[in-house]
Amino acid sequence: MPGRAKSITKKKQDARNAHNGLMSSAVKAYLSELGKAPGLQRRGARTICRDFEEMNLQATGKRVQLSYSTLLRLAAGGKSLAEINAAKSWLTAEETEQVIAYIVELGNRGFPLSHRRLREHVDEICHAKLGAAFPGVGKQWTHRFVEKHSDHLKMSWSRPLDSKRGRAVNPHTNKAWFDLLEGVMDKLDIDEDCIYAADEIGISPQSGERERVIGSKTRSGPQYQQRTGSRENITVIVSICADGTAEPPAVILKGNAYQVKWKQDNPANASLGYSKKGWTDGEIGVEWIKDLEKRTKAKANGRDRLLIVDGHNSHYTRAFLEYARKNRIHVLCYPAHTTHVYQGLDVVVFAVLKHCWTEERDRWESGKGEGITKANFITIYGRAHIRALTPDLIRTAFRKTGIWPFNRNVVTDDMMAPSKETSCQSNLPIIPSTPIHCERSRTACSTA
């Protein structure tokens, strides 16, 4: 898969590195020629430069020109331009490595640095080394730093992560979750065609993906994109199975009574319900699991089924759990605040579903000239649902979260790194030479 095109600066940097590497090899070859015994034929600096230029052209298809005078200067002990520039750099090679490691570690823990904050950290290092006379790095220094070290660093749009979620996905919770999941699946001998996952997604007629659009170069300010329809939230319950199939969705509209016009064209064969706020509640939850049981009963053929859901209260009413137990549906709940890692619908499916929803909504509005209403929502959403929930995507959702095939190693140390900031264990950086004790009524420690 082709990657992102390199910037002009990065291309120049790669060309410079290629030239320096080729020149270094040429210098070694020239010194080797000088070491030959008297009377043996030696290649001169010009010949070596031409030979290495030809070798590089045949190997890479790119011509790199080498200067024989530069070769002679370097062979005599001179410094390369890269070494001269490195000597003038604000940071040494060791400091640069430490800064890169610090940036990566903070990013993994959920506290990524911006250009401004990176500049502040580098200024502190240089002030401590060079004194108060240091003027500070330039405004574009951090941009060039990231581009220069693009093998290790890159710029990304940040996404907010609630601190509760950051703390929740930790080694202890991770082990407990996969131990519980493995124990239930082994005890009940659950097959892939009996493992289900369900979650709610809120969709507004005006919602959709943010996209890059084309506009006038002279226009200032944001480029607005008009949307029709209300901001009223509509809840959709999506259910998927580990064998790659999806059950028809359940759509919850805001209203006080059912209206026949809501269900005129229903390509996804969705179930339809309503509530005063357009959200799921205990009563709707019971009706939903009854519908799920009827649709999956034939496939189960008397076997136990596993239903994995989040901690929404509609999944844990007495009526919901009694009906599930009676019909051999075992309900398993994700750990609190961890669905962004363990729930396949959140991790994989919903992003694709929202993308398809945006396309289908835009296609409807441009083709029909109508806004999104309750009367046509189920038609437009149904088309997006069918497009998005493909067997490959559904299987990917279960595989990427380690549910099927079962794999507890899908959650890496980097994914659990944000929990390090709230670890219950700590270590003193230096072992004190004398015993100490702390006074509870004071903020400082006193020596014993």
Side-chain angles (χ1 to χ4, degrees), residues 243-356:
D243 65 358
T245 59
E247 297 303 317
V251 178
I252 315 300
L253 299 172
K254 181 179 180 180
N256 295 316
Y258 176 79
Q259 297 184 32
V260 177
K261 65 179 181 180
W262 290 348
K263 203 172 183 179
Q264 296 298 319
D265 182 17
N266 189 2
N269 193 28
S271 303
L272 195 60
Y274 64 91
S275 67
K276 289 185 178 181
K277 293 187 177 181
W279 303 336
T280 55
D281 54 27
E283 184 179 353
I284 291 175
V286 173
E287 294 303 317
W288 172 79
I289 195 172
K290 289 180 179 179
D291 183 63
L292 179 70
E293 196 280 328
K294 291 177 183 177
R295 294 179 185 274
T296 60
K297 185 175 182 179
K299 189 200 295 189
N301 194 24
R303 294 174 294 167
D304 290 290
R305 283 161 284 181
L306 177 62
L307 174 62
I308 310 177
V309 292
D310 61 18
H312 194 276
N313 55 17
S314 64
H315 303 146
Y316 301 100
T317 63
R318 180 175 180 179
F320 185 100
L321 296 176
E322 284 183 348
Y323 186 87
R325 178 185 291 271
K326 179 181 177 181
N327 291 276
R328 300 179 65 182
I329 299 175
H330 300 266
V331 181
L332 198 61
C333 177
Y334 298 103
H337 310 297
T338 62
T339 54
H340 64 293
V341 171
Y342 297 126
Q343 188 178 69
L345 286 163
D346 268 355
V347 174
V348 176
V349 175
F350 283 162
V352 179
L353 181 57
K354 288 180 179 179
H355 177 75
C356 292

Side-chain angles (χ1 to χ4, degrees), residues 29-95:
Y30 180 71
L31 292 176
S32 178
E33 292 291 328
L34 294 180
K36 287 183 177 180
L40 296 178
Q41 185 177 3
R42 300 175 181 174
R43 290 183 297 169
R46 285 190 176 92
T47 303
I48 289 177
C49 287
R50 286 196 298 268
D51 290 346
F52 273 85
E53 288 174 359
E54 188 63 28
M55 289 169 52
N56 183 76
L57 180 62
Q58 293 178 0
T60 65
K62 298 179 180 179
R63 181 171 294 279
V64 176
Q65 293 185 341
L66 300 180
S67 170
Y68 78 93
S69 60
T70 302
L71 187 151
L72 292 173
R73 180 175 57 82
L74 295 177
K79 292 184 178 181
S80 67
L81 183 61
E83 293 173 330
I84 294 173
N85 289 335
K88 295 189 295 184
S89 176
W90 294 124
L91 299 178
T92 64
E94 293 78 8
E95 289 170 342

Side-chain angles (χ1 to χ4, degrees), residues 170-187:
N170 56 66
H172 304 288
T173 302
N174 187 64
K175 182 179 184 304
W177 162 246
F178 280 108
D179 286 348
L180 176 63
L181 179 62
E182 186 177 28
V184 170
M185 293 172 66
D186 289 345
K187 179 180 178 181

